[in-house]
């Protein structure tokens, strides 16, 4: 009996020892799982930090100088874009100048600037220069007069007759008996080319006109010249001048989108070959949702993605 009791006690000790060892193994396995999970989490965090660091360093890698010239109609868009882009990429310097659309195309074709800004489609004489077209915005144009002018609306034919010199007095279109002074842009201007294409349809401008070298200069001259008329990119039309209706339709972005107001063109940024580096990043930024959907309309233009696809 004593032998049986001793055997029973020995068996109980073995069972207890086995349970104790099993519990220890469970604890070790649990600790191992926690350590493994922590390692995975730490690896994940490290990966995220590394990705973020890589993304940040990628932004920092964009550097250099960007030179652009051409359309003055695009300046109200490009100046704010320039400032925002330089804030985003501190190692980039962007220089944007005017001079007219054809000047911009000439200079980018010659390689003296990296971007040629223009209000016109690429003419045939530039199609062998290796230029790549980037449509970045819709540019609306309006006809403006001095604020004292009584005329509020001109038909398309009346505008044609004024621009070609057939109508020379405001009396002929419902205004005062006052001579009409046409103030507009030089032949190198994309704004002038847009008006010639959209409004004149092949007719020629009269030579009896005052020529200015920018949209801003046209606006300033019209504001201070009684009886004057001219055209400017819509963002330039401020309280110093009066905007005319065209064929009874008032200018608004929605009227352009709906096809009711016809005087507009596209803003182009031409590069010699496909852009790379900082130049590509600058054009991509202007075309991004970040800029197109938040800034373009505020600046008086129309996002390219809002126009009906033809």
């Amino acid at each position: 009996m004593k032998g049986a009791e001793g055997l029973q006690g020995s068996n109980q000790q073995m069972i207890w020892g086995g349970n104790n060892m099993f519990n220890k193994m469970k604890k070790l396995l649990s600790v191992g799982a926690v350590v493994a999970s922590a390692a995975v989490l730490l690896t994940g965090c490290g990966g995220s930090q590394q990705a973020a660091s890589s993304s940040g360093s990628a932004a920092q890698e964009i550097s250099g100088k960007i030179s652009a010239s051409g359309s003055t109609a695009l300046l109200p868009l490009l100046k704010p874009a320039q400032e925002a882009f330089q804030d985003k990429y501190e190692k980039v310097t962007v220089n944007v100048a005017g001079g007219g659309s054809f000047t911009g195309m000439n200079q980018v074709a010659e390689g003296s600037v990296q971007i040629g800004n223009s209000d016109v489609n690429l003419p045939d004489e530039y199609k062998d220069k290796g230029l790549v077209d980037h449509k970045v915005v819709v540019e609306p144009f309006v006809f403006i007069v001095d604020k004292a002018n009584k005329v509020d609306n001109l038909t398309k034919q009346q505008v044609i007759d004024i621009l070609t010199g057939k109508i020379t007095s405001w009396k002929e279109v419902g205004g005062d008996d006052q001579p009409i002074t046409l103030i507009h842009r030089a032949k190198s201007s994309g704004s002038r080319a847009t008006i010639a294409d959209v409004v004149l349809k092949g007719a020629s401008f009269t030579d009896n006109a005052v020529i200015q070298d920018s949209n801003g200069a046209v606006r300033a001259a019209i504001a201070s010249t009684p009886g004057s008329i001219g055209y400017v990119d819509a963002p330039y039309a401020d309280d110093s001048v009066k905007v005319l209706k065209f064929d009874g339709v008032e200018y608004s972005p929605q009227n352009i989108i709906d096809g009711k107001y016809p005087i507009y063109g596209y803003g182009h940024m031409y590069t010699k070959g496909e852009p790379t580096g900082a130049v590509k990043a600058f054009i991509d930024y202007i075309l991004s949702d970040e800029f197109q959907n938040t800034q373009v309309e505020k600046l008086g233009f129309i996002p390219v993605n809002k126009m009906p696809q033809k």
Side-chain angles (χ1 to χ4, degrees):
M1 291 293 293
K2 286 182 181 178
E5 287 175 359
L7 183 61
Q8 184 177 2
S10 176
N11 287 339
Q12 286 176 344
Q13 286 179 353
M14 287 178 65
I15 291 169
W16 181 87
N19 287 339
N20 190 35
M21 183 175 290
F22 178 71
N23 288 333
K24 285 181 179 179
M25 287 181 67
K26 279 177 68 179
K27 287 181 180 178
L28 286 172
L29 287 171
S30 298
V31 170
V34 170
V35 171
S37 299
V40 170
L41 287 171
L42 286 171
T43 302
C45 290
S48 298
Q49 289 175 352
Q50 187 174 4
S53 176
S54 297
S55 175
S57 63
Q60 294 301 319
E61 286 171 5
I62 296 175
S63 61
K65 293 183 178 180
I66 301 170
S67 57
S69 69
S71 166
T72 63
L74 274 174
L75 289 180
L77 176 88
L78 296 181
K79 288 293 186 181
Q82 169 193 13
E83 294 171 6
F85 186 77
Q86 287 180 151
D87 287 342
K88 192 178 181 75
Y89 300 102
E90 295 179 356
K91 293 184 179 180
V92 178
T93 302
V94 184
N95 296 309
V96 180
S101 292
F102 290 95
T103 298
M105 287 189 290
N106 280 332
Q107 290 184 344
V108 73
E110 293 167 356
S112 56
V113 297
Q114 294 159 299
I115 300 173
N117 302 316
S118 176
D119 310 327
V120 297
N121 293 323
L122 197 65
D124 290 340
E125 59 266 31
Y126 289 92
K127 289 184 177 177
D128 62 348
K129 306 292 185 183
L131 300 187
V132 178
D133 183 8
H134 311 274
K135 282 184 180 178
V136 295
V137 75
V138 178
E139 295 178 322
F141 291 90
V142 293
F143 283 94
I144 58 173
V145 295
D146 64 286
K147 295 194 76 170
N149 199 313
K150 294 179 181 178
V151 174
D152 296 317
N153 172 70
L154 290 173
T155 67
K156 181 176 181 178
Q157 190 58 53
Q158 287 172 333
V159 171
I160 292 172
D161 289 345
I162 288 172
L163 297 181
T164 57
K166 292 180 181 178
I167 291 178
T168 59
S169 172
W170 286 106
K171 186 178 180 179
E172 298 176 68
V173 291
D176 292 335
D177 188 5
Q178 182 182 40
I180 293 174
T181 301
L182 174 60
I183 300 176
H184 71 134
R185 302 292 304 285
K187 292 180 180 179
S188 63
S189 162
S191 299
R192 176 169 171 153
T194 298
I195 298 301
D197 179 51
V198 175
V199 179
L200 290 184
K201 298 290 187 183
S204 298
F205 285 101
T206 177
D207 291 330
N208 187 19
V210 177
I211 302 299
Q212 299 290 345
D213 63 0
S214 69
N215 277 269
V218 169
R219 178 194 60 205
I222 289 173
S224 60
T225 307
S228 60
I229 185 173
Y231 49 84
V232 294
D233 192 47
Y236 282 91
D238 61 16
D239 290 340
S240 68
V241 293
K242 180 179 182 178
V243 176
L244 298 179
K245 293 178 183 177
F246 184 80
D247 262 342
V249 179
E250 184 177 6
Y251 161 71
S252 72
Q254 194 59 49
N255 279 341
I256 286 184
I257 294 168
D258 293 341
K260 297 176 181 178
Y261 187 89
I263 313 174
Y264 68 89
Y266 284 90
H268 307 260
M269 297 177 77
Y270 291 106
T271 57
K272 190 152 181 129
E274 292 293 342
T276 59
V279 174
K280 182 179 187 303
F282 184 48
I283 295 173
D284 286 347
Y285 173 71
I286 292 172
L287 285 170
S288 69
D289 288 345
E290 176 185 353
F291 189 76
Q292 289 277 322
N293 295 344
T294 62
Q295 297 299 317
V296 168
E297 287 190 54
K298 289 180 184 178
L299 297 170
F301 296 87
I302 302 169
V304 288
N305 58 14
K306 288 199 172 184
M307 294 299 287
Q309 298 299 316
K310 295 181 179 180

